Amino acid sequence: MRVWSAVGLMASARVVSTCLFVALLTCTLRCSQCVKLSNIILILTDDQDVEMGGMTPMKKTKALIGDAGVTFSNAFTVTPLCCPSRSSILTGKYPHNHLVRNNSISGNCSSTTWQKEAEPFAFPVYLNKLRYQTFYGGKYLNQYGSKDAGGVGHVPPGWDQWHALVGNSKYYNYTLSANGKEEKHGDNYEKDYLTDLVLNRSLHFLEERSPSHPFFMMLCPPSPHSPWTAAPHYQQTFSDVKAPRNGSFNMPGKGKHWLLRQPANPMPNSSVEYLDNAYRRRWQTLLSVDDMVEQLIKKLDSIKELSNTYIFYTSDHGYHTGQFSLPIDKRQLYEFDIRIPLLVRGPGIKPKLTLQSPVLNIDLSMTILDIAGVNLSTVNMDGQSFLPQMAPSLRNGTERPFFLVEYTGEGHSSEDPSCPKLGPGLAECFPDCVCEDAFNNTYACVRTLKDANLQYCEFADNESFVEVYNLTSDPHQLENIVKKVDPALLQIMNQRLIKLESCTGDSCRNLHEHSF
């Protein structure tokens, strides 16, 4: 029988203790790696369409995000205007719930009411509570930073680094709120070009961040919004490019709401030249965004964070250039204004996927919070996570059968001095006195893709005007079939619209075909 000395026993205990400590430490490190939260980047362009070729200049973006992940072929905005759409992205809510109606302070864009009632519940606040390091760069909301919106000193909750443009999109000669301090910029390309500035500050943020916590970045370049100022080295590109002449280009707005019936048809040559110039210059500005994506991904790779980062690329709404003889703008209910690009890459997403599932910009916030591990049942939002669609191994989910697109028209109470014959109540009357908006350009639409590819829209005007399109037989929405369609179908679509216009939170997600 072997006799152990006291010293031997103590030595053995130390060895066992050391082994246990090493094993526990190894397990802890492994576990911490298992539950390490993914980084997230949201790149949001301004006015970038997908229907009129708006993604054509984005060769690097399509290769580095789309080919490396998923392209959603049926992504939509819930409202085709900047401030209401961006408010929907931030809050995950339809406009009838966040109450931002247009781009003005009186329309609740970045108003003190918005700041008090909506900003504290925007999705970055949730991320910040989870110790995500957060960065914002570029355009925020159209009225942000104005005197009536609290000036540059107002920094919304949830952001650690805040570099937001005051007002609407510009490329030079703008003011930033740099963490609540006014920062004036001129017209020096190297120092001031806003798309590049957003990129450079985001790269600096990545260098300075703490590696022990995940990060969220929201990058909002001005492109391709007017004034369409390209970087100097891109100002001669696409010199022979013109707006597409197919589909509804230069077609009359026959059978449509009165606003679509007022443009001259065919368009005068001055309008066509104007829109072709706008189309070309829009593409030129996007080349700097394409460079931004490339540089950002190179940086993520160099700091070994690329494989653990979700990157979303999208726009706030679409755009048109000559469709139904409307020279340039957004704000309309048609596919060219409501469809948006959406590309995503990240953990669990297989490369070169194309998904048909309908997704909305109100789903971005829920998807981002889902990635961050937030219990979505605790979040009061109208959207739903599309993480299950793009990474089915991570989640189970359901596809929505139909959805809402809504818009509140904006007009001026006085006449436009350059277009006196049109009278009051209109807005955005350029070029050649073609008005793109009006007080009664106020509508709500039900869009379906499952079973039938239909759009049903009601206007809040004295005509109670209705537009209905079968997009399978009429993808360019040339014919309003409201007088030809089965009245029973009109009743079903009307009932869906009533439900959607009053939905909130769960009730927006739990509308099913068998409910009608």
Side-chain angles (χ1 to χ4, degrees):
M1 186 174 176
R2 192 169 180 182
V3 179
W4 292 88
S5 69
V7 174
L9 283 169
M10 289 176 65
S12 297
R14 279 199 297 270
V15 169
V16 170
S17 175
T18 303
C19 289
L20 283 170
F21 175 76
V22 170
L24 184 63
L25 180 63
T26 304
C27 180
T28 303
L29 287 170
R30 282 179 183 157
C31 292
S32 68
Q33 287 167 354
C34 289
V35 297
K36 183 183 178 185
L37 292 171
S38 295
N39 310 305
I40 308 164
I41 298 173
L42 173 58
I43 301 168
L44 178 66
T45 56
D46 196 354
D47 286 10
Q48 187 174 8
D49 69 279
V50 70
E51 286 288 282
M52 298 296 116
M55 285 298 290
T56 304
M58 313 301 294
K59 292 180 180 177
K60 298 171 185 176
T61 300
K62 288 189 286 187
L64 294 169
I65 303 180
D67 290 351
V70 58
T71 299
F72 285 93
S73 59
N74 288 307
F76 295 85
T77 182
V78 296
T79 188
L81 188 63
C82 301
C83 198
S85 174
R86 287 163 183 262
S87 302
S88 285
I89 291 169
L90 289 161
T91 61
K93 293 183 176 184
Y94 280 118
H96 67 262
N97 287 326
H98 65 55
L99 303 178
V100 178
R101 295 179 296 281
N102 53 46
N103 288 342
S104 67
I105 285 281
S106 61
N108 203 28
C109 178
S110 202
S111 68
T112 52
T113 301
W114 155 267
Q115 292 169 15
K116 181 181 177 182
E117 296 180 3
E119 278 185 344
F121 305 101
F123 77 87
V125 174
Y126 291 85
L127 297 177
N128 213 219
K129 287 177 181 175
L130 290 171
R131 302 193 70 186
Y132 268 79
Q133 301 162 91
T134 55
F135 172 94
Y136 195 98
K139 177 177 172 178
Y140 181 54
L141 302 173
N142 295 54
Q143 296 296 330
Y144 172 76
S146 66
K147 185 180 178 182
D148 291 340
V152 296
H154 172 68
V155 177
W159 299 104
D160 298 319
Q161 286 292 317
W162 179 254
H163 302 270
L165 177 68
V166 172
N168 204 2
S169 282
K170 288 185 177 180
Y171 299 80
Y172 294 111
N173 300 307
Y174 54 85
T175 301
L176 280 186
S177 170
N179 296 316
K181 294 184 178 178
E182 183 178 82
E183 189 178 280
K184 296 276 190 181
H185 285 266
D187 57 5
N188 181 297
Y189 170 70
E190 281 74 19
K191 293 192 299 183
D192 301 316
Y193 191 68
L194 185 55
T195 303
D196 292 358
L197 180 140
V198 170
L199 168 64
N200 293 334
R201 296 205 177 173
S202 70
L203 297 179
H204 182 71
F205 169 78
L206 289 174
E207 289 168 1
E208 298 295 314
R209 88 205 187 286
S210 165
S212 59
H213 296 291
F215 60 82
F216 169 71
M217 301 166 65
M218 189 163 174
L219 310 183
C220 302
S223 308
H225 197 285
S226 62
W228 314 306
T229 311
H233 47 286
Y234 289 135
Q235 289 180 0
Q236 303 306 315
T237 54
F238 306 125
S239 57
D240 57 347
V241 166
K242 292 183 177 182
R245 277 6 187 208
N246 60 340
S248 57
F249 182 84
N250 212 1
M251 298 290 284
K254 183 181 177 183
K256 291 178 165 48
H257 188 242
W258 76 270
L259 192 66
L260 273 288
R261 301 195 300 266
Q262 50 92 29
N265 179 264
M267 288 183 287
N269 288 337
S270 53
S271 283
V272 175
E273 289 172 8
Y274 185 91
L275 69 87
D276 276 337
N277 181 53
Y279 189 90
R280 180 172 56 254
R281 292 174 66 190
R282 280 163 54 79
W283 274 22
Q284 291 170 350
T285 68
L286 284 167
L287 292 173
S288 293
V289 181
D290 208 31
D291 291 341
M292 167 194 279
V293 170
E294 180 185 44
Q295 293 302 314
L296 196 60
I297 286 177
K298 280 183 178 176
K299 185 66 176 179
L300 291 170
D301 194 32
S302 73
I303 62 174
K304 296 182 170 50
E305 290 287 1
L306 183 58
S307 63
N308 190 40
T309 302
Y310 286 89
I311 306 173
F312 295 74
Y313 183 94
T314 191
S315 171
D316 49 8
H317 47 73
Y319 203 75
H320 57 260
T321 43
Q323 284 62 50
F324 297 119
S325 304
L326 296 169
I328 59 154
D329 204 42
K330 47 266 184 176
R331 297 178 170 85
Q332 309 306 328
L333 57 87
Y334 308 102
E335 296 284 280
F336 41 75
D337 282 1
I338 65 173
R339 280 185 177 266
I340 54 175
L342 178 58
L343 315 176
V344 192
R345 67 172 288 169
I349 303 175
K350 291 180 180 177
K352 296 190 176 178
L353 276 180
T354 299
L355 290 182
Q356 310 287 333
S357 306
V359 292
L360 309 178
N361 62 345
I362 56 172
D363 299 336
L364 287 165
S365 51
M366 290 289 267
T367 305
I368 288 167
L369 294 182
D370 196 3
I371 289 167
V374 173
N375 180 351
L376 298 185
S377 66
T378 65
V379 179
N380 180 24
M381 294 182 178
D382 304 335
Q384 63 189 47
S385 171
F386 54 80
L387 184 59
Q389 269 81 11
M390 62 184 183
S393 63
L394 302 181
R395 297 278 190 282
N396 292 319
T398 56
E399 184 178 310
R400 61 166 55 81
F402 45 82
F403 56 90
L404 175 69
V405 176
E406 55 188 343
Y407 179 71
T408 302
E410 189 175 3
H412 300 301
S413 54
S414 57
E415 293 178 352
D416 186 328
S418 60
C419 309
K421 70 179 190 294
L422 298 173
L426 295 121
E428 307 297 323
C429 300
F430 67 91
D432 299 316
C433 266
V434 177
C435 298
E436 298 271 358
D437 208 0
F439 282 129
N440 66 0
N441 183 40
T442 297
Y443 56 80
C445 303
V446 177
R447 184 75 172 81
T448 68
L449 286 150
K450 191 178 179 182
D451 299 328
N453 193 1
L454 297 172
Q455 186 181 33
Y456 171 92
C457 301
E458 295 181 1
F459 281 83
D461 61 6
N462 57 13
E463 293 181 274
S464 297
F465 201 81
V466 177
E467 294 187 32
V468 183
Y469 299 98
N470 180 337
L471 286 104
T472 301
S473 59
D474 180 20
H476 300 295
Q477 298 164 288
L478 299 174
E479 184 185 9
N480 179 7
I481 58 170
V482 64
K483 294 178 181 175
K484 296 182 178 181
V485 77
D486 184 347
L489 177 60
L490 293 180
Q491 186 175 7
I492 289 171
M493 297 296 267
N494 169 262
Q495 291 301 308
R496 288 176 180 172
L497 189 59
I498 291 169
K499 292 266 190 183
L500 280 166
E501 284 189 286
S502 60
C503 79
T504 179
D506 283 342
S507 65
C508 298
R509 293 186 289 274
N510 296 334
L511 291 168
H512 301 294
E513 294 284 355
H514 58 72
S515 305
F516 300 91

